[in-house]
Amino acid sequence: MTDYVSTTPGLFPLPDWSKDELSDLKGHQKHDLISGDERAEITSVYEKSRAAVVDLQVEAGLDLVTEGQLRWDDMLAHPLAVHDAVDTQGIVRYYDNNNFYRDPVVTDDLDFSGDVASELEAAAELTDNPLQAVLPGPYSLADLASDEHYGDEETFLAAVAEFLAGEVEAFPDHETLFLLEPSLVENAPGDGLDERASDAIDVVSGATDANVIVQPFYGALEEKVYAHLLDADIDAVGFDFVTEQEQNLYTLQEYGAPDDIALGLVDGQNTLVEDPEAIRDRAEWVFDQLPVTDFETAYLTTNTETFYLPYAKFEAKLEALAEAAALAEVTHA
């Protein structure tokens, strides 16, 4: 029987009260964005916000709790944006949507930072529930960044992977690690680089004993990219069934999947709150289309991060995911 696990890929919206307090403390200018050396008043607000979203996940009944990544001004680029070897420069559009990030220009060796590890350690102190770590995948992080130090694409990708692996090694105990890889869809690697992208994921995956889930979104992976991804030492691949159903279903039917699977069935960007029974039905519909459905674990999640959402809608979607997983455990053999 498949074990259904409710979770999210992190990057939560800030509580409304937190937005107000941070607006007063930080302002909205570039020099007020997160850099890793915030003054105590700002750090205190983020600490209270972290505690609030951890409590929210526990109360909603989510099986896996994330730190929430509330400090991340740059949705995927954050681990580089706060690094001493990186110069954050002009504003760049985040793929083809209306969100933006600061271009992280790497100017020196990417040595250990520990910023994300410290966030996860703080979350671990707030709950005894199983913890899920979240990072940008190495291909997406390298794709979004600019290199003025390593000199070529493959060397830079390898360096980013080693950097992320070093960060993971410093993480506290965690049950799962979600690697967010939208660039595998939005800017798919070509011949040769697609294999290197899989190798880079292997490097990060090898730094943890936790289950590793690679979560692409904004569509479906190209067939060759997916085939190489299956060669990586990972436990699950995520499928964005909100954005693209037909191609993702074809990929699963044609190439199969690891023993576990992550189903992005709840829209992380739309304010419409899905019904738990509808989420369960969508999961069952996916499995009904497949020749083999003996997945050990099915992670039920939003298709994307949820920072786009109003906080009240975000709360409701967490509750719907948790209830859907509980329903699926009862009804699906």
Side-chain angles (χ1 to χ4, degrees), residues 81-98:
V82 297
H83 197 288
D84 290 341
V86 175
D87 179 20
T88 53
Q89 297 186 4
I91 300 299
V92 183
R93 185 179 295 274
Y94 179 58
Y95 303 117
D96 62 350
N97 58 44
N98 289 323

Side-chain angles (χ1 to χ4, degrees), residues 150-206:
Y150 289 96
D152 67 77
E153 196 170 33
E154 291 190 3
T155 303
F156 183 49
L157 174 59
V160 169
E162 291 289 350
F163 159 66
L164 290 174
E167 301 302 296
V168 170
E169 288 174 355
F171 284 178
D173 288 343
H174 53 288
E175 186 163 314
T176 51
L177 169 62
F178 260 50
L179 295 177
L180 309 184
E181 283 283 18
S183 286
L184 288 177
V185 174
E186 290 282 3
N187 187 23
D191 288 344
L193 193 59
D194 48 10
E195 186 174 358
R196 299 285 80 77
S198 177
D199 292 341
I201 289 169
D202 257 347
V203 169
V204 182
S205 175

Side-chain angles (χ1 to χ4, degrees), residues 221-267:
L221 295 171
E222 294 179 1
E223 293 179 48
K224 191 175 178 185
V225 172
Y226 182 70
H228 279 299
L229 185 56
L230 291 183
D231 291 334
D233 185 18
I234 59 176
D235 297 279
V237 177
F239 293 86
D240 178 357
F241 278 100
V242 173
T243 304
E244 177 56 57
Q245 290 189 6
E246 185 175 343
Q247 186 59 42
N248 275 319
L249 191 60
Y250 169 80
T251 298
L252 276 167
Q253 292 169 332
E254 189 72 14
Y255 296 98
D259 291 337
D260 301 338
I261 189 171
L263 299 175
L265 300 172
V266 171
D267 196 330

Side-chain angles (χ1 to χ4, degrees), residues 274-296:
E274 293 84 351
D275 180 78
E277 291 191 2
I279 300 169
R280 180 205 63 196
D281 290 344
R282 291 174 192 174
E284 293 185 350
W285 176 84
V286 172
F287 292 140
D288 287 344
Q289 311 306 309
L290 303 179
V292 178
T293 59
D294 57 346
F295 295 106
E296 293 180 7

Side-chain angles (χ1 to χ4, degrees), residues 70-138:
L70 300 175
R71 289 177 60 245
W72 293 27
D73 290 319
D74 298 296
M75 286 78 74
L76 291 173
H78 172 86
L80 291 184
V82 297
H83 197 288
D84 290 341
V86 175
D87 179 20
T88 53
Q89 297 186 4
I91 300 299
V92 183
R93 185 179 295 274
Y94 179 58
Y95 303 117
D96 62 350
N97 58 44
N98 289 323
N99 289 285
F100 298 84
Y101 68 98
R102 297 169 295 173
D103 181 18
V105 180
V106 177
T107 59
D108 206 342
D109 288 345
L110 290 173
D111 55 7
F112 176 72
S113 165
D115 182 90
V116 179
S118 66
E119 291 180 333
L120 203 60
E121 286 170 356
E125 294 174 358
L126 297 170
T127 180
D128 294 326
N129 285 36
L131 202 61
Q132 176 167 289
V134 176
L135 278 175

Side-chain angles (χ1 to χ4, degrees), residues 52-62 65 126-129 318:
V53 298
V54 167
D55 287 346
L56 174 62
Q57 292 170 85
V58 173
E59 292 169 3
L62 284 186
V65 173
L126 297 170
T127 180
D128 294 326
N129 285 36
L318 294 191

